[in-house]
Amino acid sequence: MLKHGRPFSDKYLWYILNWLLFGLLGSIFLWQWNWAYGVVSVILAFLLTFGVDFLCRYFVKNKVRAMVKEEPIIIVDAIRMQQEKRGYLVLTKNFVLFVPLLRRIKTVIESDQIVRQDSERLVVEITAKFPNKYRVFTFAVLSTKKLLPILKDMTGESLPYKYDRLEKHL
C-alpha cells in the first residue's frame, strides 16, 4: 500500500508554496522596486505550477502516440499501487496505459482484455484477462469524475467476480 494517506498532497503543496512564494510574497516584495519585477514574479509562479503540468502532459501525449499510435482521450494523474510508481493513467480509443514520466511504458491493456473495472473513492481497479491468467491493476487517481464514464463506455459491462457469485449461492 501507499506509505502515506494522501498521495497527491505534495502536488497541491507545490502549487500553494509556489503561489505564496512567487505569486504573493514575490510580487509584493519586488513591486517596491519596479512593477515589472512583480509581474515577472507572478508569471514565474504561473509557469512553475501550470506550465510544468502542461509540459508533463505534452510529454505523456507524445509517449502515448509513439507507443500505440492513437490520440489520448483522457489523462489523469495516477499512482500504480503495486509498485508505488507515479505517472499518468491514459485512456485511448482501444487501450488503457499507465505512463510514468521518466520511465518506459510497461502497462498497456487493450480494451478487449478488460473484463472488470471497479472503483472505490479514488482507487480504480482494472481486471484484465491475458492468455494464461487474470491480472489486477490497481491505481490511485487524482479524480474519477471524468475517468469512470469513459472507462465504462470503452469496456462495456463488468463481469462479476467469482467470489461475488459464491456469496449469492450461500
Side-chain angles (χ1 to χ4, degrees):
M1 290 303 292
L2 292 171
K3 294 178 184 171
H4 41 71
R6 296 185 180 140
F8 298 104
S9 61
D10 58 342
K11 182 174 184 163
Y12 296 126
L13 182 64
W14 174 256
Y15 280 9
I16 291 169
L17 289 177
N18 275 317
W19 278 104
L20 280 176
L21 185 64
F22 295 108
L24 185 65
L25 297 175
S27 63
I28 290 172
F29 183 70
L30 294 173
W31 198 276
Q32 297 172 6
W33 286 288
N34 193 349
W35 63 270
Y37 295 142
V39 171
V40 168
S41 179
V42 171
I43 291 171
L44 185 62
F46 183 80
L47 289 176
L48 285 175
T49 54
F50 301 111
V52 170
D53 281 346
F54 178 76
L55 196 62
C56 290
R57 290 183 186 277
Y58 177 75
F59 286 134
V60 167
K61 283 182 183 179
N62 285 340
K63 283 176 94 172
V64 168
R65 283 187 206 126
M67 182 70 150
V68 296
K69 310 283 190 280
E70 291 183 7
E71 278 298 312
I73 296 172
I74 188 167
I75 300 172
V76 179
D77 291 5
I79 296 175
R80 184 154 177 206
M81 299 286 274
Q82 293 90 348
Q83 300 166 350
E84 294 187 15
K85 288 185 181 178
R86 288 184 171 271
Y88 294 89
L89 189 62
V90 181
L91 300 179
T92 65
K93 185 178 178 184
N94 297 315
F95 296 97
V96 175
L97 298 98
F98 178 71
V99 183
L101 198 56
L102 299 175
R103 296 185 184 113
R104 290 186 340 204
I105 300 173
K106 294 182 181 177
T107 307
V108 179
I109 309 166
E110 290 185 38
S111 60
D112 300 341
Q113 294 174 329
I114 297 174
V115 293
R116 179 184 163 106
Q117 75 272 354
D118 190 24
S119 68
E120 183 177 330
R121 295 188 184 186
L122 296 177
V123 176
V124 176
E125 189 174 274
I126 298 172
T127 306
K129 182 181 181 192
F130 291 100
N132 295 333
K133 62 180 178 179
Y134 288 91
R135 279 194 67 191
V136 178
F137 300 94
T138 307
F139 304 100
V141 294
L142 188 62
S143 172
T144 58
K145 186 176 183 179
K146 294 179 183 177
L147 177 74
L148 289 180
I150 295 172
L151 185 62
K152 287 181 183 175
D153 287 344
M154 191 170 92
T155 60
E157 187 68 28
S158 279
L159 296 176
Y161 191 56
K162 62 182 177 181
Y163 296 117
D164 292 343
R165 286 183 275 165
L166 288 175
E167 287 177 1
K168 290 179 184 176
H169 292 296
L170 294 175

